[in-house]
Amino acid sequence: MTHETIWKTLSSIDVNTKTEKKGNLTYLSWAWAWGELMNHFPMATYTFSEWEYPNGQSYVTKDILIYPDETCSVECELRIGELTRKMWLPVMDYKNQAIANPTARAISDTKMRCLVKCISMFGLGHYIYAGEDL
């Protein structure tokens, strides 16, 4: 299995009927994206990165990367067989702005959006993200 064979399989799937619009952004449900990935690559697994932060005399592990302005991001790694891709995403509000001191719900939602974005790095729905850096 190669990145090319995975890309050809996943990028050929039309996800347009499965997307939702929220404001000016288009979303693909994590459950649908994961289900489609499992239909083709059931061996796929994912993890979220963790970082250690000082906490008095010890350290605490968190699943968010915290920046000096108290906003944060998450990072997901997706593995299909021996192949991996990583993707990151800031925790954002409905206006697509980074949130300082985000809630657990905002972090959880961002993690699942990040998983979908990571899946897109293998091809599924990659076109959804076209122009996001503008």
Side-chain angles (χ1 to χ4, degrees):
M1 179 171 13
T2 66
H3 280 103
E4 181 181 7
T5 58
I6 295 170
W7 182 269
K8 283 182 180 179
T9 300
L10 294 178
S11 67
S12 68
I13 299 168
D14 181 3
V15 302
N16 288 325
T17 62
K18 304 298 181 186
T19 61
E20 300 175 33
K21 289 289 265 185
K22 291 184 183 177
N24 62 344
L25 300 176
T26 302
Y27 291 93
L28 180 61
S29 158
W30 73 263
W32 191 88
W34 184 255
E36 198 61 39
L37 181 66
M38 290 294 98
N39 285 337
H40 298 279
F41 302 102
M43 78 295 284
T45 60
Y46 65 91
T47 57
F48 291 100
S49 298
E50 295 181 336
W51 295 267
E52 285 191 347
Y53 295 94
N55 184 20
Q57 299 277 328
S58 63
Y59 287 87
V60 62
T61 302
K62 296 185 180 190
D63 57 357
I64 54 174
L65 178 59
I66 303 170
Y67 299 100
D69 66 355
E70 297 181 353
T71 61
C72 59
S73 63
V74 300
E75 183 180 85
C76 182
E77 181 176 279
L78 178 63
R79 288 172 302 287
I80 300 177
E82 298 297 317
L83 305 174
T84 63
R85 299 266 194 219
K86 272 190 176 184
M87 188 45 62
W88 55 93
L89 192 64
V91 179
M92 298 178 287
D93 62 16
Y94 67 95
K95 294 179 184 176
N96 209 25
Q97 298 298 310
I99 302 171
N101 298 308
T103 64
R105 174 64 191 260
I107 293 167
S108 174
D109 288 352
T110 299
K111 287 171 76 173
M112 299 319 284
R113 284 194 301 271
C114 190
L115 172 60
V116 173
K117 194 172 181 182
C118 203
I119 293 170
S120 79
M121 295 299 288
F122 278 103
L124 184 68
H126 65 93
Y127 53 84
I128 292 171
Y129 301 96
E132 79 165 8
D133 54 344
L134 300 178

